Amino acid sequence: PDYDGLRIDPCLPAHLADLTITRKFRGSTYNIHIVNRAGDEKGALTLTMDGAPVAGCVLPADAEAAIHTVEAVLE
C-alpha cells in the first residue's frame, strides 16, 4: 500500500513464469496476474488495470469500492 494507491513492484523467482493473486485495498479488490517474461527476478514493468495502461507502478485508489483486473508484465 502507498498513500496514492497500491504499489505493484513484483520480484519473482526466475523459474516462476506467472502468478495470480487477489489483494483487497481500501475497499476494492484487485485481481493481479503477474507474467514473468523477463525470466529473472525483476524486469521492466508494464502495468494495465481493467484493460487501460497505468503509468508507473502505482494503481490509483478508488473513491468507491470496485473490483479490478490487473495485468503486470515483467519484460
Side-chain angles (χ1 to χ4, degrees):
D2 197 84
Y3 181 78
D4 295 322
L6 185 61
R7 181 174 302 278
I8 306 296
D9 187 18
C11 181
L12 301 179
H15 70 275
L16 192 59
D18 73 316
L19 172 71
T20 301
I21 61 172
T22 299
R23 174 71 153 89
K24 294 189 183 264
F25 176 69
R26 295 186 186 164
S28 290
T29 301
Y30 296 83
N31 297 310
I32 305 167
H33 182 221
I34 303 169
V35 179
N36 187 4
R37 290 189 189 149
D40 203 356
E41 294 176 355
K42 298 290 277 182
L45 179 66
T46 303
L47 195 59
T48 60
M49 184 168 77
D50 301 327
V54 175
C57 64
V58 177
L59 302 174
D62 290 323
E64 295 184 22
I67 298 174
H68 298 288
T69 300
V70 178
E71 182 89 10
V73 179
L74 295 170
E75 306 262 5

